[in-house]
């Protein structure tokens, strides 16, 4: 792309700025660019080193287009100052103004990224011709938002009387009289209750035994069951067996066993066992024992 085509690509015919270097001024490229721009607009001229050294700065919103033509070696030495230089170009351009970079060096690969970060929008890129055209947007691409949120005015509330507020949070209001808990009890409430049991029902299952000084009839019922109940008697002989006997028979056998050491037998068969005893023998039911021997009876199971 030559200088004439870059000039026609400009979006506006307003004031333009032509920037060159000593090298492009020496080979005539800078003068050719100025001549083509001056055909249809006002053109200001400026050498690049003036901006780099800080000898001059661009006024805000002064140019509709900025045209930069440098030698490849100029672009390479410009890399350390590229960010500040692009910032000046963005300031000097009007909204929608264009920046034309001509004779670009192929070694500057990050230039489009630097332009985007500076705030430009890339319009066209022609790497084979070494030209790049970017535009300043109407509004900045990034907008700074305030970190502090906007304050919201509070509602105008009526002031509360301090005394009223204090009374609201008081647990015991001064005007409320205290209540005596003892005054609420009657004489009947203060009498200690006497523990009583409900009358026992023989048809219902029982889950407790009669207590001391039982008054519900459970003690009498248990005593009656004890007397009428049966127990298991274990015969102490080698071939002995378990027998079911009544409580009365159990008591008789106990008395007979106690009297066995003093036993006298007129028939001589009382000591031999039930098989040799007569029907009225007082030792009937006891295991066989020797005269003078202590007889022990094993009631090894609970009452049934």
């Amino acid at each position: 792309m030559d200088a004439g085509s870059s000039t026609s690509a400009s979006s506006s015919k307003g004031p333009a700025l032509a920037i060159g270097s000593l090298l492009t001024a020496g080979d005539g490229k800078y003068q050719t660019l100025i001549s083509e721009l001056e055909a249809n607009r006002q053109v200001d001229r400026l050498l690049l080193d003036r901006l780099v050294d800080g000898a001059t700065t661009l006024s805000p919103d002064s140019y509709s287009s900025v045209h930069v033509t440098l030698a490849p070696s100029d672009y390479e030495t410009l890399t350390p100052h590229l960010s500040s230089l692009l910032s000046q170009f963005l300031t000097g351009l009007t909204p929608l103004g264009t920046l034309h970079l001509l004779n670009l060096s192929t070694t500057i690969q990050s230039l489009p990224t630097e332009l985007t970060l500076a705030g430009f929008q890339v319009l066209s890129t022609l790497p084979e011709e070494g030209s790049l055209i970017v535009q300043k947007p109407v509004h900045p691409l990034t907008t700074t938002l305030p970190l502090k949120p906007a304050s919201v005015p509070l509602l105008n509330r009526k002031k509360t009387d301090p005394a009223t507020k204090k009374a609201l949070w008081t647990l015991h209001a001064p005007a409320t009289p205290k209540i005596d808990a003892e005054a609420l009890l009657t004489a009947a409430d203060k009498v200690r209750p006497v523990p009583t049991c409900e009358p026992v029902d023989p048809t219902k299952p029982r889950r407790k035994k009669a207590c001391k000084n039982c008054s519900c009839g459970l003690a009498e019922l248990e005593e009656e069951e004890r007397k009428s109940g049966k127990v298991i008697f274990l015969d102490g002989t080698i071939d002995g067996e378990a027998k079911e006997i009544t409580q009365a028979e159990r008591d008789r056998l106990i008395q007979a066993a106690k009297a066995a050491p003093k036993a006298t037998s007129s028939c001589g068969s009382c000591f031999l066992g039930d098989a040799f005893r007569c029907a009225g023998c007082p030792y009937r039911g006891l295991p066989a024992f020797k005269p003078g021997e202590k007889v022990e009876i094993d009631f090894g199971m609970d009452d049934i």
Side-chain angles (χ1 to χ4, degrees), residues 89-122:
F89 290 160
L90 187 69
T91 302
L93 284 171
T94 60
L96 297 181
T98 55
L99 172 63
H100 302 253
L101 300 175
L102 308 175
N103 303 322
L104 287 174
S105 173
T106 55
T107 58
I108 306 180
Q109 302 293 335
S110 62
L111 185 57
T113 303
E114 295 288 345
L115 290 167
T116 303
L117 295 176
F120 289 98
Q121 292 178 337
V122 178

Side-chain angles (χ1 to χ4, degrees), residues 233-236 257 260 286-287 289 293-299:
F233 166 65
L234 301 177
D235 192 346
L286 293 179
F289 61 92
E293 182 184 20
K294 181 180 179 181
V295 179
E296 295 182 356
I297 302 177
D298 185 8
F299 296 100

Side-chain angles (χ1 to χ4, degrees), residues 153-164:
L154 298 176
L155 297 178
N156 186 14
R157 296 185 299 177
K158 295 182 179 180
K159 293 184 178 181
T160 305
D161 184 16
T164 304

Side-chain angles (χ1 to χ4, degrees), residues 250-272:
R250 174 179 179 274
D251 294 341
R252 188 191 68 79
L253 289 175
I254 292 176
Q255 295 299 326
K258 290 181 179 180
K262 303 177 183 179
T264 58
S265 175
S266 58
C267 64
S269 301
C270 299
F271 310 106
L272 302 178

Side-chain angles (χ1 to χ4, degrees), residues 24-276:
T24 54
D27 60 15
K29 292 181 180 179
Y30 183 42
Q31 290 81 352
T32 303
L33 173 64
I34 295 174
S35 300
E36 293 177 352
L37 292 176
E38 287 181 338
N40 52 17
R41 73 192 71 189
Q42 175 186 347
V43 180
D44 289 343
R45 308 170 188 182
L46 186 64
L47 290 179
L48 181 65
D49 56 355
R50 301 281 294 174
L51 289 174
V52 174
D53 296 339
T56 184
T57 56
L58 301 183
S59 302
D61 301 332
S62 301
Y63 304 101
S64 60
S65 62
V66 175
H67 304 260
V68 180
T69 177
L70 302 174
S73 59
D74 293 331
Y75 283 113
E76 294 178 5
T77 57
L78 189 62
T79 302
H81 311 282
L82 188 59
S83 178
S84 60
L85 187 62
L86 293 178
S87 178
Q88 290 196 58
F89 290 160
L90 187 69
T91 302
L93 284 171
T94 60
L96 297 181
T98 55
L99 172 63
H100 302 253
L101 300 175
L102 308 175
N103 303 322
L104 287 174
S105 173
T106 55
T107 58
I108 306 180
Q109 302 293 335
S110 62
L111 185 57
T113 303
E114 295 288 345
L115 290 167
T116 303
L117 295 176
F120 289 98
Q121 292 178 337
V122 178
L123 297 182
S124 65
T125 303
L126 298 174
E128 63 278 0
E129 298 183 6
S131 65
L132 180 64
I133 302 176
V134 295
Q135 186 179 53
K136 176 181 177 180
V138 178
H139 301 290
L141 297 180
T142 57
T143 304
T144 304
L145 298 178
L147 296 178
K148 185 177 180 181
S151 60
V152 179
L154 298 176
L155 297 178
N156 186 14
R157 296 185 299 177
K158 295 182 179 180
K159 293 184 178 181
T160 305
D161 184 16
T164 304
K165 186 175 182 180
K166 182 178 180 181
L168 178 65
W169 293 100
T170 302
L171 298 179
H172 301 285
T176 304
K178 294 183 179 180
I179 299 176
D180 186 8
E182 294 293 332
L184 300 177
L185 300 176
T186 62
D189 295 332
K190 298 180 180 181
V191 175
R192 184 183 295 275
V194 179
T196 56
C197 298
E198 296 181 359
V200 65
D201 187 354
T203 61
K204 294 183 179 180
R206 299 191 300 272
R207 297 183 179 179
K208 64 177 182 178
K209 294 185 178 180
C211 57
K212 189 177 181 181
N213 301 325
C214 177
S215 61
C216 67
L218 181 58
E220 292 79 359
L221 181 61
E222 290 180 349
E223 180 63 22
E224 182 181 352
E225 290 178 347
R226 188 189 69 81
K227 291 180 180 180
S228 61
K230 296 181 179 182
V231 297
I232 298 299
F233 166 65
L234 301 177
D235 192 346
T237 61
I238 296 177
D239 297 329
E241 57 183 8
K243 300 179 181 179
E244 183 180 292
I245 61 176
T246 63
Q247 289 285 348
E249 179 66 11
R250 174 179 179 274
D251 294 341
R252 188 191 68 79
L253 289 175
I254 292 176
Q255 295 299 326
K258 290 181 179 180
K262 303 177 183 179
T264 58
S265 175
S266 58
C267 64
S269 301
C270 299
F271 310 106
L272 302 178
D274 286 349
F276 302 94

